[in-house]
Short mmCIF file of all heavy atoms in Angstrom, two decimals:
data_model
loop_
_atom_site.label_atom_id
_atom_site.label_comp_id
_atom_site.label_asym_id
_atom_site.label_seq_id
_atom_site.Cartn_x
_atom_site.Cartn_y
_atom_site.Cartn_z
N ARG A 1 21.22 -17.58 -33.37
CA ARG A 1 21.35 -18.02 -34.77
C ARG A 1 20.10 -17.71 -35.58
O ARG A 1 19.65 -18.50 -36.42
CB ARG A 1 21.69 -19.51 -34.83
CG ARG A 1 22.97 -19.87 -34.10
CD ARG A 1 23.28 -21.34 -34.14
NE ARG A 1 24.41 -21.65 -33.26
CZ ARG A 1 24.93 -22.86 -33.12
NH1 ARG A 1 24.42 -23.89 -33.78
NH2 ARG A 1 25.94 -23.06 -32.30
N GLY A 2 19.52 -16.54 -35.30
CA GLY A 2 18.39 -16.07 -36.08
C GLY A 2 17.05 -16.67 -35.73
O GLY A 2 16.06 -16.44 -36.43
N GLU A 3 16.97 -17.43 -34.62
CA GLU A 3 15.71 -18.06 -34.23
C GLU A 3 15.40 -17.73 -32.77
O GLU A 3 16.31 -17.67 -31.93
CB GLU A 3 15.78 -19.58 -34.40
CG GLU A 3 16.00 -20.03 -35.85
CD GLU A 3 16.08 -21.54 -35.96
OE1 GLU A 3 16.47 -22.19 -34.97
OE2 GLU A 3 15.74 -22.06 -37.04
N ILE A 4 14.12 -17.54 -32.46
CA ILE A 4 13.71 -17.29 -31.08
C ILE A 4 13.69 -18.64 -30.34
O ILE A 4 12.95 -19.55 -30.71
CB ILE A 4 12.32 -16.63 -31.02
CG1 ILE A 4 12.34 -15.28 -31.75
CG2 ILE A 4 11.89 -16.44 -29.56
CD1 ILE A 4 13.26 -14.24 -31.15
N LYS A 5 14.51 -18.72 -29.30
CA LYS A 5 14.63 -19.97 -28.54
C LYS A 5 13.82 -19.97 -27.25
O LYS A 5 13.53 -21.03 -26.70
CB LYS A 5 16.10 -20.23 -28.20
CG LYS A 5 17.01 -20.33 -29.41
CD LYS A 5 16.64 -21.51 -30.29
CE LYS A 5 17.61 -21.67 -31.45
NZ LYS A 5 17.25 -22.81 -32.32
N LEU A 6 13.50 -18.79 -26.76
CA LEU A 6 12.77 -18.67 -25.50
C LEU A 6 12.01 -17.35 -25.54
O LEU A 6 12.55 -16.34 -25.99
CB LEU A 6 13.77 -18.67 -24.34
CG LEU A 6 13.21 -18.82 -22.92
CD1 LEU A 6 12.61 -20.21 -22.73
CD2 LEU A 6 14.31 -18.58 -21.89
N TYR A 7 10.77 -17.38 -25.05
CA TYR A 7 9.94 -16.17 -25.16
C TYR A 7 8.80 -16.25 -24.17
O TYR A 7 8.14 -17.29 -24.03
CB TYR A 7 9.40 -16.06 -26.59
CG TYR A 7 8.23 -15.13 -26.79
CD1 TYR A 7 8.35 -13.77 -26.52
CD2 TYR A 7 7.01 -15.60 -27.26
CE1 TYR A 7 7.28 -12.91 -26.71
CE2 TYR A 7 5.93 -14.75 -27.46
CZ TYR A 7 6.07 -13.40 -27.18
OH TYR A 7 5.02 -12.55 -27.37
N GLY A 8 8.56 -15.17 -23.43
CA GLY A 8 7.41 -15.14 -22.55
C GLY A 8 7.66 -14.34 -21.28
O GLY A 8 8.62 -13.58 -21.17
N GLU A 9 6.76 -14.52 -20.30
CA GLU A 9 6.88 -13.87 -19.01
C GLU A 9 8.10 -14.41 -18.28
O GLU A 9 8.28 -15.63 -18.16
CB GLU A 9 5.63 -14.14 -18.16
CG GLU A 9 4.35 -13.54 -18.70
CD GLU A 9 4.26 -12.05 -18.36
OE1 GLU A 9 5.04 -11.60 -17.49
OE2 GLU A 9 3.41 -11.37 -18.95
N LEU A 10 8.94 -13.51 -17.79
CA LEU A 10 10.19 -13.93 -17.18
C LEU A 10 9.95 -14.81 -15.95
O LEU A 10 10.58 -15.87 -15.81
CB LEU A 10 11.04 -12.71 -16.80
CG LEU A 10 12.39 -12.99 -16.14
CD1 LEU A 10 13.22 -13.95 -16.97
CD2 LEU A 10 13.14 -11.69 -15.92
N ASP A 11 9.06 -14.42 -15.07
CA ASP A 11 8.81 -15.21 -13.87
C ASP A 11 8.30 -16.60 -14.21
O ASP A 11 8.71 -17.60 -13.60
CB ASP A 11 7.82 -14.50 -12.95
CG ASP A 11 8.43 -13.29 -12.26
OD1 ASP A 11 9.67 -13.19 -12.24
OD2 ASP A 11 7.66 -12.45 -11.74
N SER A 12 7.41 -16.68 -15.19
CA SER A 12 6.87 -17.99 -15.60
C SER A 12 7.97 -18.86 -16.20
O SER A 12 8.02 -20.07 -15.95
CB SER A 12 5.74 -17.81 -16.61
OG SER A 12 4.66 -17.12 -16.03
N LEU A 13 8.82 -18.25 -17.01
CA LEU A 13 9.92 -19.00 -17.62
C LEU A 13 10.89 -19.52 -16.56
O LEU A 13 11.40 -20.64 -16.68
CB LEU A 13 10.66 -18.13 -18.64
CG LEU A 13 9.88 -17.77 -19.90
CD1 LEU A 13 10.64 -16.74 -20.72
CD2 LEU A 13 9.60 -19.01 -20.74
N ARG A 14 11.15 -18.71 -15.55
CA ARG A 14 12.06 -19.15 -14.48
C ARG A 14 11.48 -20.35 -13.75
O ARG A 14 12.20 -21.29 -13.42
CB ARG A 14 12.32 -18.00 -13.51
CG ARG A 14 13.19 -16.89 -14.08
CD ARG A 14 13.34 -15.75 -13.11
NE ARG A 14 14.02 -16.18 -11.90
CZ ARG A 14 14.10 -15.44 -10.80
NH1 ARG A 14 13.52 -14.26 -10.76
NH2 ARG A 14 14.75 -15.89 -9.74
N ARG A 15 10.18 -20.33 -13.50
CA ARG A 15 9.55 -21.48 -12.82
C ARG A 15 9.52 -22.70 -13.72
O ARG A 15 9.73 -23.82 -13.27
CB ARG A 15 8.13 -21.11 -12.39
CG ARG A 15 8.06 -20.11 -11.23
CD ARG A 15 6.66 -20.02 -10.68
NE ARG A 15 5.74 -19.44 -11.64
CZ ARG A 15 5.48 -18.13 -11.71
NH1 ARG A 15 6.08 -17.30 -10.90
NH2 ARG A 15 4.63 -17.68 -12.60
N LYS A 16 9.26 -22.48 -15.00
CA LYS A 16 9.12 -23.59 -15.94
C LYS A 16 10.45 -24.20 -16.33
O LYS A 16 10.61 -25.43 -16.36
CB LYS A 16 8.40 -23.10 -17.20
CG LYS A 16 8.20 -24.17 -18.26
CD LYS A 16 7.48 -23.60 -19.47
CE LYS A 16 7.33 -24.64 -20.57
NZ LYS A 16 6.66 -24.08 -21.76
N MET A 17 11.43 -23.34 -16.62
CA MET A 17 12.70 -23.83 -17.14
C MET A 17 13.68 -24.21 -16.05
O MET A 17 14.55 -25.06 -16.25
CB MET A 17 13.35 -22.75 -18.02
CG MET A 17 12.51 -22.30 -19.18
SD MET A 17 12.29 -23.60 -20.42
CE MET A 17 13.98 -23.86 -20.95
N GLY A 18 13.58 -23.55 -14.91
CA GLY A 18 14.56 -23.80 -13.85
C GLY A 18 14.15 -24.95 -12.95
O GLY A 18 13.00 -25.37 -12.89
N ARG A 19 15.12 -25.46 -12.24
CA ARG A 19 14.85 -26.51 -11.27
C ARG A 19 14.32 -25.86 -10.00
O ARG A 19 14.97 -24.98 -9.43
CB ARG A 19 16.14 -27.28 -10.96
CG ARG A 19 16.70 -28.00 -12.17
CD ARG A 19 17.97 -28.74 -11.86
NE ARG A 19 19.05 -27.82 -11.50
CZ ARG A 19 20.30 -28.19 -11.31
NH1 ARG A 19 20.63 -29.47 -11.43
NH2 ARG A 19 21.23 -27.32 -10.98
N SER A 20 13.14 -26.29 -9.57
CA SER A 20 12.57 -25.75 -8.35
C SER A 20 13.34 -26.31 -7.18
O SER A 20 13.50 -27.52 -7.04
CB SER A 20 11.09 -26.14 -8.26
OG SER A 20 10.54 -25.67 -7.06
N GLY A 21 13.85 -25.44 -6.33
CA GLY A 21 14.69 -25.89 -5.25
C GLY A 21 14.29 -25.33 -3.91
O GLY A 21 13.45 -24.44 -3.80
N VAL A 22 14.92 -25.87 -2.87
CA VAL A 22 14.75 -25.40 -1.51
C VAL A 22 16.13 -25.14 -0.94
O VAL A 22 17.02 -26.00 -1.05
CB VAL A 22 14.00 -26.44 -0.64
CG1 VAL A 22 13.99 -26.02 0.81
CG2 VAL A 22 12.58 -26.64 -1.15
N VAL A 23 16.32 -23.97 -0.37
CA VAL A 23 17.60 -23.61 0.23
C VAL A 23 17.38 -23.35 1.72
O VAL A 23 16.52 -22.56 2.09
CB VAL A 23 18.22 -22.37 -0.44
CG1 VAL A 23 19.52 -21.98 0.26
CG2 VAL A 23 18.47 -22.62 -1.92
N ILE A 24 18.18 -24.03 2.55
CA ILE A 24 18.07 -23.87 3.99
C ILE A 24 19.44 -23.49 4.54
O ILE A 24 20.43 -24.20 4.30
CB ILE A 24 17.57 -25.16 4.66
CG1 ILE A 24 16.15 -25.47 4.17
CG2 ILE A 24 17.60 -25.03 6.18
CD1 ILE A 24 15.58 -26.76 4.69
#
């Protein structure tokens, strides 16, 4: 909608925005 909602290094954004999880 004409506004930047997210911006930056992809790896950093994934760590920051996503839930850190453990898969076994």
Side-chain angles (χ1 to χ4, degrees):
R1 301 179 188 182
E3 298 179 333
I4 300 297
K5 301 297 184 181
L6 191 67
Y7 163 61
E9 294 281 345
L10 180 53
D11 287 344
S12 297
L13 292 171
R14 289 176 63 191
R15 289 192 294 268
K16 180 180 178 181
M17 302 293 297
R19 296 179 295 187
S20 178
V22 172
V23 177
I24 297 177

